[in-house]
Amino acid sequence: MQQIQAGDHQAFVKLVDRHLTTLHKFAQHILGNPTDADDIVQETFVRVWQKAHQWQPKAKVSTWLHSITNNLCMDFYRRVKVKTVDITEVNLITSHQPATDKQQQDVKIQVQTALQQLPENQRCAIVLCYYQDMTNREAANVLNISISALESLMARGRRKLKKILQIQSDDLLGEI
Amino acid sequence: MNKITQQRFSQLLDIYGGNSNRWPIEERAAALKFLKESTEAYRLQQAALNLDNLLDSIPTASPTAMLRQRILAQHYTEPVQDAWQWFVQWFIGTTVREHFLRPAFMLIIPLVFGIFLGLNLETVSMDENMLFAEEVNLLALSSTE
C-alpha cells in the first residue's frame, strides 16, 4: 500500500490481482448479481488509487478495501433501490429446467433470494463472516460497529433467513 | 480456557452457525469441549449446520478478465487526489451525517476561537480603562495653564 501511495502502478496491479476475486464475491453477495458487482469493484479500485494516502498502516488492507466496497454498495442501494425478487416468484423463473437439476437450482435461488430480502446491515454482517471468512473483529471494523452489535445483526439475520426459507419450504431446513 | 454455558453455546450457533471455524477464536476451544460433552449441544449444532449448508450453496461468478483490464486501464487515467481535493472531500464527508456535522464542526472552531479571544480582550480593555482612569487622575492634579 505504501508503494501505491507513492504512485507505483505495478504495486497497484499486484493489489488488484490479490483482491479482485474476493471483493467481487463480496459485492455479488451484497447486490445479488455479478453485473452490478463489476461496476462496484471497478469503482472500489479507482477510489483506492485516488485515495491511497487515506490508508493508514494500522488498518489491514483487506478490511479497508471491504469498507470501501461496502460503502459503495450502500450508496448504490440508496441510488438505485435494488429490486428484490419475491421468493414466491422463484418457481416461475426456473420452471423450464430439467427436474433433477431444477430442484438443486431452485434451492440455490431460494437461498440467494432469501439473503437479498434481509436488511442491508444484516446481510453485510452475514456475508462478511460467512463468505469472506472474516473474524468478528474484522467484520465489525468494516461495518464500523462494535462486536456485540455485529453479533446482534448476525443473529437477527440468521433468524430471519430461517423464517423466510421455512415459509418457502419445510424440507429446506429440516427440523429447525 | 474458560468454560462456556449452554446459553452462550446456543448464542454462538445463532450468531455464527454450526461450523466451528467461524466461531470466535477466544471461545472456540471452550465451545468445542462443550460440544464433545453434551449430546444436546451436538443436536443444536447439526440443526445450525442445515442453514450453513444452504448458505454455502449460493453460487458466485468469478470476475472476468475484461473487468481486470477495465480497472487497470481506468486507473492509469485517474489522477491521484491532491491535498486540496482530499481536504474538500474530508470537509464535506461521505455520509449524510458527515455532510452536516463536519461543516458544523469547522464553523464551531472559529466561534470558540472568537469567544476565547473576546474573553482575553476584555481583560486587556479593563487594563486600558485603568490606565485611562489613572491618566485622567493625573491630568486632574496638573495645572490648567
Side-chain angles (χ1 to χ4, degrees):
Chain A
M1 264 318 289
Q2 279 156 349
Q3 287 173 306
I4 294 173
Q5 284 177 327
D8 185 338
H9 292 281
Q10 282 309 309
F12 181 77
V13 174
K14 276 185 192 167
L15 184 91
V16 171
D17 287 339
R18 192 174 295 167
H19 296 280
L20 177 62
T21 309
T22 318
L23 293 179
H24 192 261
K25 192 172 122 189
F26 175 55
Q28 255 187 93
H29 281 302
I30 299 291
L31 301 172
N33 75 77
T35 315
D36 292 335
D38 282 359
D39 295 340
I40 294 295
V41 171
Q42 186 175 353
E43 184 60 26
T44 300
F45 282 110
V46 169
R47 295 270 174 108
V48 168
W49 177 249
Q50 286 182 328
K51 300 180 178 187
H53 60 272
Q54 286 184 16
W55 176 78
Q56 289 168 348
K58 64 180 180 182
K60 209 173 158 186
V61 177
S62 67
T63 308
W64 188 59
L65 294 175
H66 276 87
S67 298
I68 296 172
T69 312
N70 183 48
N71 289 340
L72 288 171
C73 286
M74 294 306 109
D75 288 347
F76 181 83
Y77 259 102
R78 284 181 207 119
R79 227 176 32 240
V80 183
K81 273 282 167 203
V82 175
K83 183 180 178 282
T84 54
V85 181
D86 194 295
I87 205 152
T88 53
E89 293 173 17
V90 170
N91 288 335
L92 296 172
I93 295 166
T94 58
S95 58
H96 62 281
Q97 290 173 334
T100 46
D101 290 344
K102 187 177 168 292
Q103 279 182 333
Q104 281 186 336
Q105 196 63 22
D106 270 357
V107 171
K108 287 176 184 175
I109 295 173
Q110 281 169 14
V111 179
Q112 193 163 23
T113 312
L115 189 64
Q116 292 305 310
Q117 290 184 336
L118 294 181
E120 290 158 23
N121 52 4
Q122 291 174 16
R123 182 166 62 250
C124 283
I126 287 179
V127 169
L128 288 168
C129 287
Y130 280 80
Y131 299 110
Q132 303 305 107
D133 292 327
M134 282 195 173
T135 63
N136 54 2
R137 196 176 300 277
E138 287 168 341
N141 282 340
V142 170
L143 298 175
N144 203 16
I145 55 176
S146 66
I147 291 176
S148 59
L150 175 91
E151 291 191 337
S152 167
L153 286 175
M154 286 177 64
R156 279 186 285 148
R158 273 183 71 96
R159 271 200 293 274
K160 193 163 182 188
L161 267 179
K162 278 183 206 167
K163 206 173 162 186
I164 295 169
L165 293 169
Q166 270 174 338
I167 291 168
Q168 179 63 14
S169 169
D170 285 339
D171 301 335
L172 281 177
L173 290 172
E175 60 171 66
I176 294 174
Chain B
M1 183 172 65
N2 292 330
K3 272 198 135 188
I4 197 166
T5 62
Q6 166 95 39
Q7 192 192 3
R8 180 57 189 162
F9 185 80
S10 297
Q11 278 177 352
L12 283 181
L13 295 176
D14 282 345
I15 298 163
Y16 299 99
N19 184 344
S20 60
N21 291 331
R22 291 183 179 128
W23 297 344
I25 194 138
E26 312 85 44
E27 295 176 281
R28 194 178 298 159
L32 285 170
K33 190 166 180 278
F34 183 78
L35 182 65
K36 270 187 189 168
E37 292 164 356
S38 163
T39 51
E40 175 62 10
Y42 179 77
R43 194 190 66 76
L44 289 171
Q45 187 207 22
Q46 293 306 306
L49 280 172
N50 283 339
L51 182 59
D52 290 0
N53 292 336
L54 286 174
L55 284 170
D56 289 340
S57 74
I58 297 180
T60 50
S62 299
T64 59
M66 196 178 281
L67 174 65
R68 181 182 177 275
Q69 282 174 356
R70 255 167 51 195
I71 292 167
L72 296 181
Q74 193 180 0
H75 107 274
Y76 282 110
T77 61
E78 292 289 338
V80 179
Q81 215 175 32
D82 63 24
W84 172 248
Q85 285 173 318
W86 177 83
F87 174 75
V88 171
Q89 182 65 47
W90 178 85
F91 181 71
I92 57 173
T94 49
T95 62
V96 178
R97 215 174 118 196
E98 285 173 1
H99 292 335
F100 291 100
L101 285 180
R102 288 197 178 166
F105 177 72
M106 290 296 281
L107 287 173
I108 283 173
I109 292 174
L111 183 71
V112 171
F113 180 71
I115 291 170
F116 173 77
L117 206 65
L119 288 171
N120 282 317
L121 282 176
E122 198 184 345
T123 52
V124 171
S125 65
M126 272 177 67
D127 290 341
E128 278 179 356
N129 283 340
M130 283 171 70
L131 283 171
F132 179 72
E134 262 179 44
E135 207 172 321
V136 168
N137 288 339
L138 284 168
L139 283 170
L141 292 171
S142 66
S143 95
T144 52
E145 283 180 353

